[in-house]
Amino acid sequence: MPRAEAATRAARRAAKGPAHPRVPRAAAGKAALTRRLNRVEGQVRGIGRMVEEDRYCVDILTQISAVQSALDALARELLEHHLHGCVQHAVRSGDGDRAIAEALAVIRKFGR
């Protein structure tokens, strides 16, 4: 990445306020998330092949539904880690109101 682009990104991060505290995932948890993402990626590529092959619409829609379900499950797992890790850490360090507001905003996105 060119230096100017890196500097621009750093400036954007600084303008947003303090960095969010990160609570690292256990290696096994990170590996499980990566496996899930790889599986979803394969499903999406499969949907692309189905479209290219002019497969039956209902079969494609069924696969799209499966991908959406897999992504929803992944999102719930990430949200759980965020609440039990990141938000809990923020509450303990005195920055709980901001972290809770941020978590609620993310949860609202899934309620649409």
Side-chain angles (χ1 to χ4, degrees):
M1 169 181 339
R3 280 187 179 181
E5 187 177 331
T8 302
R9 285 186 181 179
R12 267 192 236 128
R13 279 193 305 270
K16 288 181 183 178
H20 298 288
R22 293 189 187 137
V23 177
R25 290 175 189 82
K30 191 181 294 189
L33 288 174
T34 300
R35 281 192 302 276
R36 279 183 148 194
L37 282 169
N38 289 338
R39 193 171 18 241
V40 169
E41 183 181 358
Q43 287 176 295
V44 171
R45 280 194 306 270
I47 292 169
R49 284 191 300 275
M50 292 175 79
V51 170
E52 288 295 317
E53 296 167 0
D54 253 347
R55 299 274 297 272
Y56 185 53
C57 296
V58 172
D59 292 341
I60 297 170
L61 290 167
T62 299
Q63 290 305 310
I64 289 171
S65 177
V67 168
Q68 287 173 330
S69 294
L71 286 172
D72 287 344
L74 179 65
R76 283 189 299 272
E77 190 171 321
L78 286 167
L79 181 59
E80 185 176 333
H81 175 268
H82 182 64
L83 293 173
H84 287 291
C86 305
V87 173
Q88 188 176 58
H89 179 268
V91 168
R92 287 181 180 153
S93 67
D95 196 21
D97 289 340
R98 180 204 51 83
I100 291 169
E102 180 183 57
L104 287 172
V106 169
I107 291 167
R108 283 186 197 102
K109 287 180 183 180
F110 287 98
R112 294 182 194 171

